[in-house]
Amino acid sequence: MVQKENSVIFPEINTPRLALIELKASDDVAVFNLFSNHKVVEYYDLEVFSHIEQARSLIDLFQTRHAASLGIRWAIYLKSSGGVIGTCGFNSWSQTMRSAVIGYDLLPDFWGNGYATEAVCAAIQAAFSGGLVCGALNRIQADTVPGNDASETLLRRLGFKEEGLRRESGYWKGAFHDLKCFGLLQSEFTPPIANSP
Ligand SMILES: CC(C)(COP(=O)(O)OP(=O)(O)OC[C@H]1O[C@@H](n2cnc3c(N)ncnc32)[C@H](O)[C@@H]1OP(=O)(O)O)[C@@H](O)C(=O)NCCC(=O)NCCS
């Protein structure tokens, strides 16, 4: 755990190959590399970043959200290389509803190694067990754009169920987009990957 004076505790999580750590201002280049990649933002309501200031603003937004107990975003740190390879976390945290929406992204050079599954699984375990400031969640939701097959595979593998399609639910990059809604309940979750102590 990392706690600054008068601030909300930021939980850090270890998995066999990764550490989920607080996303800090010094991660601006890593975040820029991530979101300036067309492959990463292909299904996002986000234009590719063209300036490092956009990365700094995003990190600032994540930090502000966590300070207000409205969400959390970790840097995904790869132990073997000693670098940040992606991010994951929750937004739309509701302590009243005990629900949140999950998000995740990885640099394409690291796709296909199970890192995203490992990171997201650990984040879910923490959220369901009450290890985060939002209290123990009962439900985690994920929204994917049809065609984002890697994301869907990851969600299904962790036990998420497809709940329906919200037609033309979003408008970005000059077009309406359907959103597939996935949900996972605490009572259904069996973690397929063990965390490190
Ligand atoms: C979603 C994302 C994090 C997945 O990364 P990843 O490295 O493929 O993740 P993992 O290796 O942990 O597992 C993903 C699974 O999807 C599979 N997969 C990868 N690409 C796929 C594709 N095009 N079609 C179907 N399945 C695919 C992988 O094989 C793996 O399953 P397996 O372990 O059973 O083989 C990555 O694609 C990404 O960063 N995308 C851009 C950001 C994004 O869209 N985030 C999700 C928003 S909802």
Side-chain angles (χ1 to χ4, degrees):
M1 296 276 188
V2 174
Q3 184 168 27
K4 295 172 207 147
E5 203 177 339
N6 297 325
S7 70
V8 177
I9 290 174
F10 197 99
E12 298 192 342
I13 301 172
N14 266 290
T15 72
R17 298 178 295 172
L18 309 167
L20 304 189
I21 57 177
E22 185 173 11
L23 200 54
K24 296 187 284 298
S26 55
D27 294 317
D28 55 354
V29 173
V31 170
F32 178 73
N33 288 340
L34 196 58
F35 293 103
S36 60
N37 191 305
H38 288 266
K39 288 183 179 172
V40 173
V41 299
E42 181 178 359
Y43 297 104
Y44 276 7
D45 56 343
L46 204 63
E47 298 289 347
V48 278
F49 282 6
S50 55
H51 200 277
I52 190 91
E53 277 308 325
Q54 293 169 291
R56 292 181 184 142
S57 299
L58 189 61
I59 294 169
D60 196 48
L61 173 71
F62 289 144
Q63 290 178 332
T64 305
R65 268 195 203 152
H66 189 254
S69 299
L70 294 173
I72 187 167
R73 198 82 181 186
W74 288 277
I76 302 175
Y77 176 87
L78 181 63
K79 292 175 185 174
S80 61
S81 70
V84 172
I85 61 166
T87 77
C88 69
F90 299 101
N91 59 59
S92 304
W93 249 352
S94 169
Q95 296 191 38
T96 313
M97 303 294 173
R98 295 182 56 196
S99 68
V101 176
I102 195 157
Y104 39 84
D105 28 65
L106 218 59
L107 280 167
D109 282 353
F110 297 90
W111 288 2
N113 295 292
Y115 292 136
T117 303
E118 190 169 319
V120 170
C121 180
I124 290 172
Q125 276 183 271
F128 280 153
S129 65
L132 309 180
V133 69
C134 58
L137 295 182
N138 174 59
R139 172 187 161 83
I140 294 172
Q141 185 170 314
D143 296 320
T144 67
V145 175
N148 195 348
D149 297 334
S151 184
E152 280 190 31
T153 305
L154 179 155
L155 292 168
R156 293 185 202 282
R157 194 190 200 191
L158 291 174
F160 280 79
K161 290 191 167 61
E162 190 178 333
E163 297 177 326
L165 186 76
R166 297 203 300 276
R167 295 173 305 140
E168 301 192 354
S169 180
Y171 182 83
W172 64 83
K173 297 175 187 166
F176 290 104
H177 298 274
D178 295 341
L179 284 177
K180 266 190 194 180
C181 181
F182 287 83
L184 177 67
L185 303 184
Q186 192 273 336
S187 56
E188 300 167 341
F189 181 57
T190 309
I193 300 167
N195 283 356
S196 296

